[in-house]
Amino acid sequence: MLRHGPFVPELVEVERLAEAHSNYVRLENLGSVTTGQTSFPILGLVMGNQDPSAPTYGLFAGVHGLERVGTHVLLAFLRTLFVKRAWDPEWESFFEKNRLVSIPVINPTGFALNRRSNARGVDLMRNAPVEADGKLLLGVSGQTWSHHLPWYRGHDGLEIETKIVGDFVERHMFNAKAAVSLDLHSGFGMKDRLWYPWAHSAAVFPHGPSVERLVQLFETTYPYHVYKIEPQHHSYMTHGDIWDWLYMRHQEKHLGTPYLPFTLEMGSWMWVKKNPMQMFMADGFFNPVKKHRYARTMRRHLHLLEFLLRSVGPYSHWA
Ligand SMILES: [Zn+2]
């Protein structure tokens, strides 16, 4: 499932899912990006209540082209959700009141080229106009030396992909009474980390109390969950974080309205530790390779993704 050819099978799967459920999922073609002669669409999915003020959950993945597993977890969740929706009428009434929006593959050229950055060598998670103001890790926090090196921030402002994510989130989430988003990554450490802002600063996150209440709800609902939950800067600080930027943009327009952008960083070192040979595969550092471990990863996060979706409805419990 994780093997891939010169095209991006995950994009085909997004189209297939949208088509199979076109009675309630809308596929949005948000723009395209190219590498060489090939152009790839950036696809968005939208379902549920279209009133801009409806509480909204955003699911994002594939910012980094090597971290395919994030997209796979997201799509596994959507497939389960669509099956549940077909037989459980409670989901019908949930989506009459709330909205789900998603971009499952933010960086298609990175997927096609099997690399972290986009085709222009820019790390999309270092590209937003946000400057970090604390202790930085040389290079890793974002650099402007060269697009031949990782963590390159770019020189021409926003990349197409960053702009598309920003516009999509603004259009579908900024006017919501309450919004929660999750962006799925893999690669850092032995633990699955659930991060919230800030990534660029050690300052207190303005919606910290809402995060605390939501996390408390999660922890009482799922006392045996696997996550280490912390502001991202506890692990490391970066320039150009998309979610710091979008949260700030959101608050400029809707000061105080709750918008909680979470990032899931699946700890890929545990997969590598159990199967060291995968170190020698191009994407082995960032994805589970063995079949049983892949399956375990697909089911491991379903309850988190569903909890966050469910939480936007009764948002008064945490906002
Ligand atoms: Zn990543």
Side-chain angles (χ1 to χ4, degrees), residues 63-64 67 116 123 125 183-187 236 265 286:
V63 168
H64 292 132
E67 301 166 17
R116 176 183 171 92
D123 185 331
M125 205 34 114
D183 178 22
L184 294 98
H185 291 252
S186 60
Y236 59 86
E265 182 86 357
F286 302 96

Side-chain angles (χ1 to χ4, degrees), residues 214-232:
L214 187 63
V215 167
Q216 201 180 19
L217 262 183
F218 181 64
E219 296 194 318
T220 40
T221 311
Y222 296 105
Y224 304 110
H225 75 81
V226 296
Y227 305 100
K228 180 167 175 60
I229 306 174
E230 60 180 10
Q232 187 188 324

Side-chain angles (χ1 to χ4, degrees), residues 61-71 105-111 114-118 122-126 151 183-186 236 242 265 286-287:
V63 168
H64 292 132
L66 286 173
E67 301 166 17
R68 307 183 98 91
V69 64
T71 295
V105 184
I106 288 174
N107 177 13
T109 60
F111 275 55
N114 210 19
R115 60 198 250 185
R116 176 183 171 92
S117 69
N118 69 3
V122 178
D123 185 331
L124 299 174
M125 205 34 114
R126 304 287 185 275
W151 310 296
D183 178 22
L184 294 98
H185 291 252
S186 60
Y236 59 86
I242 292 181
E265 182 86 357
F286 302 96
N287 301 287

Side-chain angles (χ1 to χ4, degrees), residues 16 19 24 47 51 54 62 75 84 87 91 97 108 111 127 139 143 170 175 187 200 220 231 239 246 264 276 316:
R16 194 199 62 79
E19 201 176 313
Y24 56 83
M47 60 190 283
D51 178 341
L75 293 174
K84 282 186 180 177
W87 59 262
W91 283 105
K97 298 183 205 106
F111 275 55
N127 179 238
Q143 52 87 10
E170 174 157 3
N175 293 299
H200 79 286
T220 40
H239 297 296
L246 287 178
L264 172 61
S316 57

